[in-house]
């Protein structure tokens, strides 16, 4: 089952619904979807798409996408944040973030906004290829 987050890059949405980036960009223009620029990306072409009810409705009514089982809700954690405190990886990530400078944190933020989690994991070469 695929999840639509509240804001997604063109590439993330294309991957999620199994379409080309160009198709998503055409839908953005034709349907007048709300977008915002991605901080740190020059040229103004990289944008985040707001996944509004109108966008979800459009995606669910598209003939090619009717057969997909999309969770057409904003993604939410199924458990409280504090439940991860006992996870060693979570603690390590928190420790690494605590040691980063403000500039490094800002660059990481820009990278995550620009490429999303899947792009971040691909750069680390730990992405799940089956997803």
């Amino acid at each position: 089952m695929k999840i639509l987050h509240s804001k997604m890059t063109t590439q993330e949405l294309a991957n999620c619904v199994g379409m080309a980036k160009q198709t998503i960009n055409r839908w953005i223009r034709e349907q007048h979807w709300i977008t915002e620029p991605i901080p740190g990306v020059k040229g103004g072409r990289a944008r985040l798409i707001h996944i509004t009810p109108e966008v979800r409705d459009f995606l669910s009514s598209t003939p090619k996408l009717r057969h997909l089982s999309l969770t057409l809700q904003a993604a939410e954690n199924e458990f409280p944040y504090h439940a991860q405190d006992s996870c060693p990886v979570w603690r390590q990530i928190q420790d690494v973030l605590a040691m980063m400078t403000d500039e490094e944190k800002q660059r990481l933020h820009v990278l995550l906004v620009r490429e999303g989690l899947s792009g971040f994991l691909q750069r680390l070469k730990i992405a799940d290829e089956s997803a």
Side-chain angles (χ1 to χ4, degrees), residues 58-70:
F58 176 81
L59 293 173
S60 66
S61 68
T62 304
K64 282 190 167 191
L65 302 179
R66 282 191 192 129
H67 68 284
L68 293 179
S69 60
L70 293 174

Side-chain angles (χ1 to χ4, degrees), residues 13-30:
L13 186 57
N15 290 342
C16 186
V17 299
M19 302 298 256
K21 265 178 47 170
Q22 292 85 351
T23 302
I24 303 299
N25 283 322
R26 187 183 78 226
W27 290 345
I28 290 169
R29 286 188 310 277
E30 291 174 354

Side-chain angles (χ1 to χ4, degrees), residues 1 7 18 47 59 69 76-77 88 98 105 107 113-114 130:
M1 184 178 322
K7 293 180 184 177
R47 309 210 41 96
L59 293 173
S69 60
E76 295 182 9
N77 289 334
K105 288 177 188 176
R107 290 194 329 235
V113 169
R114 182 176 60 234
S130 65

Side-chain angles (χ1 to χ4, degrees), residues 7-9 35-50 105-116:
K7 293 180 184 177
M8 299 176 79
T9 65
T35 63
E36 67 182 62
I38 296 176
V41 178
K42 295 181 181 177
R45 298 197 63 153
R47 309 210 41 96
L48 284 174
I49 304 162
H50 292 243
K105 288 177 188 176
Q106 179 60 30
R107 290 194 329 235
L108 177 61
H109 170 73
V110 168
L111 172 76
L112 289 171
V113 169
R114 182 176 60 234
E115 298 198 17

Side-chain angles (χ1 to χ4, degrees), residues 52-98:
T52 62
E54 293 79 19
V55 172
R56 290 191 294 271
D57 289 344
F58 176 81
L59 293 173
S60 66
S61 68
T62 304
K64 282 190 167 191
L65 302 179
R66 282 191 192 129
H67 68 284
L68 293 179
S69 60
L70 293 174
T71 300
L72 299 176
Q73 302 173 6
E76 295 182 9
N77 289 334
E78 296 178 5
F79 51 90
Y81 294 110
H82 67 275
Q84 297 176 345
D85 289 344
S86 62
C87 174
V89 174
W90 181 254
R91 284 196 310 270
Q92 285 178 314
I93 290 170
Q94 288 177 318
D95 291 343
V96 167
L97 288 172

